[in-house]
Amino acid sequence: MNGDGTVREWVGMVDDVEEQRHAEEQLQQAQRIQAVGKLAGGVAHEVKNMMTAVIGFGEFVLTDLGPRHPQRADVEEILRAGHRAAAVSRQLLAFSRQQILQPTVLSLNLVIEKLAALLARLVGADKALRLHLDPEAGRVRADRSQLEQILVDLAVNGRDAMASVGRLTIETAAVTLDAEYAAAHPNVRMRTGRYALLAVSDTGAGMPPDVQARAFEPFYTTKPIGEGTGLGLSTVYGIVKQSGGYIWLYSELDLGTTVKVYLPLVPNEMEAQPQPTPPPAPRGCETVLVVEDEPMVRRPARRALEGHGYQVLEAATGSEALELLARSGTAQVRLVVCDVVMPEVNGRELGAELRRRQPTLPVLYMSGYTGEDVVQRGLLTAGEPFIQKTFTPELLAERVRDLLDGGGPPEV
Ligand SMILES: Nc1ncnc2c1ncn2[C@@H]1O[C@H](COP(=O)(O)OP(=O)(O)OP(=O)(O)O)[C@@H](O)[C@H]1O
Ligand SMILES: [Mg+2]
């Protein structure tokens, strides 16, 4: 047939038609994902807002019920479900690229290395985790927790695809996506340039073409009910897109899967300037009372303050705090740091009582909500000294010093 020009041409045409069909399929898939993303994002916004109300009012009820009320457990269940729904809506927002990111310039390799122990645990002892990190892979502009989310989601998918033994490989490299590469992916508007490649490969079951075609859709899962929500890859997809990157999936049945993520490399001259280290927070020796029901917050707050020279008293509840103040004589305690949402007596109530007993005693409120949120929920009045969890020890010490000195730090 080699000598037959006509046949040759005919073969070429088949190639073109095949290519054309492939391109159309790719385009349809991209459009479908876009449409689903729009819908998912809209729903997620609604759900997130509703859950804000469910969780907020649930917490009010919990506070009012008191610690030994028989219906407390019921409300706690409602809150747990509310938090779960809020988490799902956050993932959906990530997929539809409507989540607020906090991008910084990060070393891709360093993020992976720091997460390696966790990833190894996730993957399990019977499977190997290999890292091939190219020192050239360099820096990307990304939201750290989102980057970690990508790694966790891809590692978990790889693990789940490997029945018992297997190998999960995480690779990085610096690559150039050139015009030729862009031409090979005609339906993706690709910016050519330097990218950091993150490739996660497994030696698992692989995906048949129909699964590959739908894998990035939210809620698409082949896992049994209760095991997968089908949000892993769609979340990864959203994060990558929002970070200006690309994602491809290569999979062969019974051989395994490789997911390749390309994130734009940050050129060297734009490398993170060494941040000028802020001057250490001023110290003090006054006695501070920390009122917080969650020991995981209370203890670090104590350590942060002691680390800056303060004497620290702790109370787990508002009433415990009031008792402690009555016993030790209020004069001794110079400032109260107090959680806003606590069972029994909440922060606002405790603050009011403290103001009644000792109007000059400054109170610094803290909450996981933003300042705006706590005011909107009626948890605090605008203008009160406030610090949002999670804060650094330095920031807490700074706010405490400011308040003790009667200064006007940023408020709610
Ligand atoms: N590494 C992989 N190997 C084989 N199949 C995979 C792999 N990654 C994803 N898949 C397929 O794609 C589907 C969707 O993946 P995705 O991560 O979005 O959801 P999930 O893993 O099923 O659930 P979730 O991540 O929410 O727990 C999976 O159910 C699985 O069929
Ligand atoms: Mg998954």
Side-chain angles (χ1 to χ4, degrees), residues 153-154 157-158 160-161 202 205-207 211 215 217 220-223 227-234 251 257 259:
D153 279 340
L154 295 183
N157 280 353
D160 292 348
D202 62 65
M207 283 178 244
V211 174
E217 283 178 25
Y220 177 78
T221 181
T222 58
K223 292 172 187 171
E227 274 178 36
T229 53
L231 282 174
L233 279 181
S234 53
S251 193
T257 301
V259 179

Side-chain angles (χ1 to χ4, degrees), residues 324-372:
L324 210 148
L325 283 172
R327 245 188 298 126
S328 64
T330 38
Q332 198 204 333
V333 172
R334 297 285 313 283
L335 180 133
V336 176
V337 178
C338 139
D339 187 20
V340 174
V341 182
M342 290 185 292
E344 207 186 324
V345 184
N346 69 29
R348 192 189 39 193
E349 290 160 352
L350 177 64
E353 182 59 27
L354 288 174
R355 240 189 325 274
R356 203 178 58 75
R357 294 186 184 194
Q358 202 191 355
T360 55
L361 184 64
V363 179
L364 174 61
Y365 296 95
M366 54 185 174
S367 173
Y369 298 121
T370 63
E372 206 175 301

Side-chain angles (χ1 to χ4, degrees), residues 111-394:
V111 173
I112 297 171
E113 276 166 9
K114 280 200 180 142
L115 207 66
L118 174 90
L119 294 174
R121 244 199 334 269
L122 273 178
V123 169
D126 49 346
K127 291 154 196 151
L129 173 68
R130 296 271 157 75
L131 302 185
H132 294 295
L133 307 182
D134 178 354
E136 297 293 304
R139 293 161 183 274
V140 295
R141 185 180 305 282
D143 180 308
R144 177 185 294 274
S145 63
Q146 302 275 21
L147 199 51
E148 291 171 348
Q149 176 89 48
I150 292 179
L151 287 161
V152 167
D153 279 340
L154 295 183
V156 168
N157 280 353
R159 173 199 70 192
D160 292 348
M162 297 187 283
S164 50
V165 286
R167 190 176 60 245
L168 188 87
T169 311
I170 300 180
E171 265 169 283
T172 61
V175 295
T176 304
L177 299 188
D178 52 15
E180 197 182 318
Y181 192 92
H185 299 86
N187 291 310
V188 182
R189 242 181 294 125
M190 190 182 293
R191 264 164 292 121
T192 54
R194 297 282 289 163
Y195 286 80
L197 164 66
L198 163 69
V200 179
S201 311
D202 62 65
T203 56
M207 283 178 244
D210 59 316
V211 174
Q212 276 185 52
R214 301 193 58 192
F216 292 115
E217 283 178 25
F219 299 116
Y220 177 78
T221 181
T222 58
K223 292 172 187 171
I225 292 170
E227 274 178 36
T229 53
L231 282 174
L233 279 181
S234 53
T235 305
V236 172
Y237 179 90
I239 297 169
V240 171
K241 286 291 155 188
Q242 202 172 354
S243 308
Y246 305 100
I247 182 165
W248 314 109
L249 199 152
Y250 304 89
S251 193
E252 292 283 344
L253 269 186
D254 299 328
L255 290 180
T257 301
T258 298
V259 179
K260 287 187 175 181
V261 170
Y262 294 90
L263 296 169
L265 264 182
V266 176
N268 274 341
E269 63 269 27
M270 277 173 64
E271 266 186 22
Q273 300 294 325
Q275 291 289 318
T277 32
R283 302 166 62 85
C285 57
E286 292 90 338
T287 300
V288 176
L289 170 61
V290 177
V291 192
E292 162 69 64
D293 56 313
E294 180 55 67
M296 263 158 49
V297 180
R298 198 170 64 234
R299 282 191 215 115
R302 176 193 196 120
R303 277 184 43 193
L305 291 172
E306 283 179 343
H308 286 81
Y310 297 97
Q311 306 287 316
V312 179
L313 299 175
E314 279 180 49
T317 64
S319 43
E320 198 183 303
L322 291 173
E323 260 170 49
L324 210 148
L325 283 172
R327 245 188 298 126
S328 64
T330 38
Q332 198 204 333
V333 172
R334 297 285 313 283
L335 180 133
V336 176
V337 178
C338 139
D339 187 20
V340 174
V341 182
M342 290 185 292
E344 207 186 324
V345 184
N346 69 29
R348 192 189 39 193
E349 290 160 352
L350 177 64
E353 182 59 27
L354 288 174
R355 240 189 325 274
R356 203 178 58 75
R357 294 186 184 194
Q358 202 191 355
T360 55
L361 184 64
V363 179
L364 174 61
Y365 296 95
M366 54 185 174
S367 173
Y369 298 121
T370 63
E372 206 175 301
D373 263 357
V374 285
V375 173
Q376 259 177 20
R377 289 158 190 258
L379 294 166
L380 273 189
T381 326
E384 309 224 53
F386 176 78
I387 185 168
Q388 193 189 345
K389 296 177 201 167
T390 25
F391 37 77
T392 62
E394 287 293 307

